[in-house]
């Protein structure tokens, strides 16, 4: 079975500071991992995904994530936060096999607040 | 170049009534997913369609919930005899479902906010 855990339901940073959102996964097979962002009253938008190619994945809006198998982690980072980054972020793992191809299991989400 | 659309955007209903939620996936996407987002439970998978068939209905919370997809396109999620605990945002997503589908990007609609009074 696959699962993800996001450490920290709320993260607050200053504008211009480093953003680090943590995600750890559990998977019995090589995982496919995703980060999605949700702005208020909107659906989810894909930031980036890991599909067993390069371990450092670059996404939109300056975000990137590094897959570390030894730590079972897929943390999301951005060197310099912008006010527009304030949103809720979800880490997800895609299921493999059986009838559940592509089904996503999400973490509980992390609300990012950016203050001036 | 339309994305995934969902209707209605908001639905308020009385306990015990039936509701239908609609999803229009991106044209050409063969896979369609329904998820539910609620304060207590986070984002939960409900059901998955490949074409018109639903190989995975494991997330449907009760037999009051059903879904269908016709013509490999539009999908309808129906909740019968709604209860207050059904209040949530219902999200639909679609993907191309090339290969085995695990790595495919799912594109999400804006959701339907359901409130059961």
């Amino acid at each position: 079975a696959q699962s993800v855990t996001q450490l920290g339901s709320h993260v607050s940073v200053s504008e211009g500071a480093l953003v680090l959102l943590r995600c750890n996964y559990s998977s019995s097979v090589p995982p496919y991992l995703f980060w999605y962002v949700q702005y208020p009253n909107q659906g989810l938008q894909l930031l980036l995904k890991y599909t067993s190619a390069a371990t450092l994945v670059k996404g939109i809006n300056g975000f990137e994530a590094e897959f570390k198998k030894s730590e079972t982690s897929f943390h999301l980072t951005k060197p310099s936060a912008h006010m527009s980054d304030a949103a809720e972020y979800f880490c997800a793992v895609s299921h493999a096999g059986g009838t559940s191809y592509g089904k996503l299991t999400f973490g509980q989400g992390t609300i990012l607040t950016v203050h001036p | 170049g339309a994305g995934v659309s969902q209707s209605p955007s908001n639905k308020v209903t009385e306990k015990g009534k039936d509701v239908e939620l609609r999803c229009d996936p991106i044209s050409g996407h063969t896979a369609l997913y329904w998820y539910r987002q609620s304060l207590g439970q986070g984002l939960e998978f409900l059901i998955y369609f490949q074409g018109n068939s639903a190989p995975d209905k494991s997330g449907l919370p009760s037999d009051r919930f059903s879904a269908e997809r016709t013509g490999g396109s539009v999908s309808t999620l129906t909740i019968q005899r709604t209860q207050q605990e059904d209040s949530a945002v219902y999200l639909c997503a679609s993907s191309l479902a090339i290969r085995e589908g695990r790595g495919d990007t799912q594109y999400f609609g804006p959701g339907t906010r359901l409130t059961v009074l």
Side-chain angles (χ1 to χ4, degrees), chain A:
Chain A
Q2 288 86 13
S3 67
V4 291
T5 301
Q6 291 182 241
L7 300 177
S9 58
H10 290 80
V11 170
S12 181
V13 300
S14 298
E15 191 174 20
L18 171 73
V19 175
L20 170 60
L21 305 182
R22 300 177 186 273
C23 173
N24 287 87
Y25 70 90
S26 172
S27 178
S28 55
V29 298
Y32 284 9
L33 296 161
F34 302 77
W35 275 101
Y36 280 87
V37 61
Q38 187 177 34
Y39 298 100
N41 299 313
Q42 295 186 27
L44 280 72
Q45 179 183 8
L46 180 71
L47 279 176
L48 49 80
K49 65 181 180 182
Y50 168 75
T51 57
S52 75
T55 56
L56 182 63
V57 182
K58 294 188 182 297
I60 62 171
N61 301 338
F63 285 93
E64 63 181 37
E66 185 172 9
F67 173 74
K68 292 187 177 180
K69 183 178 179 180
S70 61
E71 299 177 8
T72 61
S73 68
F74 189 57
H75 302 331
L76 182 71
T77 60
K78 181 174 181 178
S80 176
H82 192 273
M83 298 295 289
S84 61
D85 294 327
E88 189 163 15
Y89 293 79
F90 293 92
C91 183
V93 62
S94 179
H95 286 246
T99 58
S100 300
Y101 284 159
K103 161 186 167 182
L104 294 175
T105 293
F106 290 90
Q108 288 299 305
T110 299
I111 295 173
L112 175 66
T113 302
V114 182
H115 50 86

Side-chain angles (χ1 to χ4, degrees), chain A residues 103, chain B residues 36 44-47 56-62:
Chain A
K103 161 186 167 182
Chain B
R36 180 169 72 173
E44 306 170 278
F45 166 81
L46 297 178
I47 188 169
D56 190 350
K57 305 178 183 179
S58 62
L60 294 177
S62 76

